[in-house]
Amino acid sequence: MEYATLSNGVKIPMLMYGVYQVTKEECERCVLDALEVGYRGIDTAQSYFNEEEVGRAIKKSGVPREEVFLTSKVWIEHYGYEECKQSVLESLDKLQTDYVDLFLLHQPFGDAYGAWRALEELYEAGKLRAIGISNYYVDRMVEFASFNRIRPMVTQMETHIYNQQKNLKEYADKYAITMEAWAPFAEGRNGAFQDETIVNIGKKYGKTAAQVMLRWNIQRGVIVLPKSVHKERMAENLDIFDFRLSDEDMNKIAALDKQTSSFFSHQDPAMVEWFVQMVEERKQRQDSSKEKKNW
Ligand SMILES: NC(=O)c1ccc[n+]([C@@H]2O[C@H](COP(=O)([O-])OP(=O)(O)OC[C@H]3O[C@@H](n4cnc5c(N)ncnc54)[C@H](OP(=O)(O)O)[C@@H]3O)[C@@H](O)[C@H]2O)c1
């Protein structure tokens, strides 16, 4: 395993296991498998609804807590100072831990500044070892990095061969913010696993397309968070520390950039409205369940 060092001196693995879209039913088994094949970092979130399973698996695995770099993220319905603080404390309970290694603001919407003040406070209280942001496009990252007391240590963003985020990386470096790639395979969209350039580069090193995609990001200093529910793929995705892509191959991959999301843009107003509506609906559901409890 290779490690990076965050701006506050905390060591972070360059490759961690992501549990987005890993169901509640499968999550405990998947995290146990990941830890068994050698992963030492897990990336979850309040909105993945599997923090309990992650926490249970870490406990069951017998791997000492301090050897596992644990990340979670605050969902936007918990933004604002009070709600964020409360929700992080609930996450700690679900994860069965006294501290989390990294907590991120999951989305750049709503009262993120209020939520950040809660994260700053929990960081200073030692409950969080590092704090950061996710899905902040470069302009918003620079703004957020500039107008807060504590600068984010990490920025997590969709980053893969077709959406390389070169501009974000340049500014993340300038502000000493470590970059993490979500969907490092673009979830296989646009034929990423069959990409001819990637497959051919892999043949030279005796590596799969998946391994080349991960190695490329790591070599440019970007942490990767691959997800798989298959143990053999988990092992394959981890087996990338015994080779190095040449400068020529790094340049060939750099030329594949389409500078477009394979999913959706957070700058699309219709998408922002979708987030707003989702938060409103969840709040309504919570209010009506509270009312029922009061009857
Ligand atoms: N901050 C955010 O907003 C955000 C958003 C999305 C994701 N994330 C984080 O990033 C992590 C990864 O992103 P992701 O899960 O969206 O996508 P991803 O890791 O790019 O792709 C996962 C897909 O690739 C397949 N796969 C994995 N390894 C493979 C291999 N060696 N060969 C062939 N197929 C393989 C998986 O299938 P199987 O599972 O069937 O093997 C799954 O369909 C998430 O789990 C989460 O932790 C964060």
Side-chain angles (χ1 to χ4, degrees), residues 18-20 43 48 73 106-107 134-135 156 182-187 193 210 225-230 233 236-237:
V19 294
Y20 174 48
D43 182 87
Y48 301 170
K73 314 182 191 81
H106 205 147
Q107 302 289 349
S134 180
N135 296 307
Q156 187 181 117
W182 67 252
F185 305 131
E187 291 184 7
F193 290 112
L225 311 166
K227 170 262 179 187
S228 174
V229 294
H230 298 99
R233 285 183 177 169
E236 173 188 333
N237 297 342

Side-chain angles (χ1 to χ4, degrees), residues 253-266:
I253 299 174
L256 298 176
D257 195 5
K258 297 185 208 292
Q259 298 187 38
T260 336
S261 170
S262 297
F263 301 88
F264 60 84
S265 167
H266 287 73

Side-chain angles (χ1 to χ4, degrees), residues 32-88:
L32 277 167
D33 282 352
L35 292 170
E36 198 182 310
V37 300
Y39 287 75
R40 285 298 177 267
I42 311 291
D43 182 87
T44 183
Q46 292 172 350
S47 67
Y48 301 170
F49 299 108
N50 55 21
E51 286 175 310
E52 281 112 332
E53 289 71 20
V54 168
R56 211 180 306 133
I58 294 173
K59 271 268 153 79
K60 265 197 188 169
S61 72
V63 178
R65 171 68 189 88
E66 61 276 16
E67 280 183 27
V68 183
F69 192 100
L70 186 54
T71 301
S72 193
K73 314 182 191 81
V74 193
W75 191 239
I76 33 181
E77 74 196 63
H78 299 134
Y79 279 12
Y81 173 80
E82 282 299 340
E83 285 226 36
C84 174
K85 197 168 174 185
Q86 187 56 36
S87 80
V88 172

Side-chain angles (χ1 to χ4, degrees), residues 89-156:
L89 295 175
E90 279 169 22
S91 288
L92 288 176
D93 270 355
K94 289 181 181 164
L95 291 161
Q96 300 190 46
T97 182
D98 297 335
Y99 69 93
V100 169
D101 297 277
L102 174 63
F103 231 99
L104 306 175
L105 294 184
H106 205 147
Q107 302 289 349
F109 306 128
D111 187 6
Y113 277 91
W116 188 253
R117 283 198 301 281
L119 292 192
E120 287 177 331
E121 212 175 282
L122 290 160
Y123 169 68
E124 287 175 323
K127 297 266 178 210
L128 310 177
R129 294 180 67 228
I131 51 180
I133 51 180
S134 180
N135 296 307
Y136 277 66
Y137 283 53
V138 63
D139 52 334
R140 306 191 97 176
M141 180 188 76
V142 170
E143 178 218 311
F144 208 75
S146 306
F147 292 109
N148 277 303
R149 192 165 59 78
I150 300 181
R151 181 170 288 175
M153 290 124 209
V154 169
T155 187
Q156 187 181 117

